[in-house]
Amino acid sequence: MYIHYFFLCSLLFAASDALVQDFCVADLSQSPTPSGYPCKKSTSVSANDFAYHGLAAPGNTTNIISAAVTPAFDGQFPGVNGLGVSIARLDLAVGGVIPLHTHPGGSEVLVVIEGTICAGFVSSFDNIVYLKTLNKGEIMVFPQGLLHFQLNSGKTPALAFVSFGTQNPGLQITDFALFKNDFPTELVAKTTFLDVAQIKKLKGVLGGTN
């Protein structure tokens, strides 16, 4: 009985705390915490904090992956701080790819605006691969924390918008985690079963050392 009462009180306190204020616009002059940025003083909040124009222009796709991701997370868009939502623009040149990566902080929904995108993710418990080719107006969801990718499989540039169930989903690109740092080549070989020569070649391309 006591446990049930304590649990109910905890829920009520959490609910009342959530209603204390309507929003918590990020104070970007301070460092973020594990739960987000500190709140800006309400007297300095304006309508501009709840609007963002950074996704209007295409990103620069002249890079090794021929793709660009333009985020509107809490660090760029203060109004989403504490709201559990965010969005980003995805530009893919012909053949462009967002390599296998994960978002530890939240799930993702992708909607194709222009072009054709092949997308997919891998389940964690049985490593099943779920693949779809998406055209204009079609969407796909990627569960939180699972490896996934997007590839322009069409003959024209592709544009998509991706929304997240968090103010900042985080990002880890598998190739960069393995080959764009000082992770010792011998350990990479042992933990991935890749050939040492191939690992050194990939490190040379992506800027890794050691």
Side-chain angles (χ1 to χ4, degrees):
M1 175 67 75
Y2 174 77
I3 294 176
H4 289 167
Y5 175 76
F6 177 79
F7 180 68
L8 178 60
C9 287
S10 297
L11 286 178
L12 289 174
F13 280 129
S16 63
D17 182 62
L19 295 175
V20 167
Q21 53 191 22
D22 295 328
F23 45 77
C24 175
V25 172
D27 183 349
L28 300 183
S29 69
Q30 300 190 50
S31 299
T33 71
S35 59
Y37 282 89
C39 303
K40 181 188 288 189
K41 291 183 179 179
S42 59
T43 53
S44 61
V45 171
S46 74
N48 290 332
D49 291 312
F50 302 103
Y52 186 65
H53 308 289
L55 305 188
N60 183 5
T61 59
T62 57
N63 51 57
I64 193 171
I65 60 175
S66 297
V69 177
T70 308
F73 302 157
D74 52 2
Q76 299 82 33
F77 187 10
V80 301
N81 190 53
L83 299 184
V85 294
S86 60
I87 193 167
R89 174 179 176 138
L90 175 59
D91 291 283
L92 293 164
V94 176
V97 60
I98 304 298
L100 281 169
H101 63 283
T102 65
H103 299 294
S107 298
E108 172 184 346
V109 176
L110 176 145
V111 55
V112 179
I113 306 301
E114 296 291 346
T116 301
I117 294 177
C118 174
F121 68 88
V122 184
S123 67
S124 65
F125 45 92
D126 48 15
N127 295 309
I128 293 177
V129 181
Y130 297 90
L131 296 174
K132 285 295 292 184
T133 296
L134 306 169
N135 296 299
K136 181 177 179 178
E138 297 181 327
I139 68 173
M140 186 171 185
V141 66
F142 306 93
Q144 179 175 348
L146 297 187
L147 280 168
H148 61 286
F149 74 95
Q150 291 94 19
L151 166 69
N152 184 347
S153 56
K155 297 180 179 180
T156 61
L159 168 64
F161 285 95
V162 287
S163 63
F164 301 91
T166 173
Q167 63 196 32
N168 192 327
L171 171 67
Q172 185 172 49
I173 297 177
T174 305
D175 293 336
F176 293 174
L178 291 173
F179 310 118
K180 198 180 180 180
N181 52 31
D182 61 353
F183 195 162
T185 295
E186 293 75 13
L187 290 178
V188 176
K190 286 288 187 181
T191 56
T192 64
F193 307 107
L194 292 173
D195 181 80
V196 168
Q198 183 64 34
I199 294 170
K200 289 184 175 180
K201 179 180 179 180
L202 290 167
K203 283 195 170 192
V205 172
L206 296 177
T209 60
N210 203 6

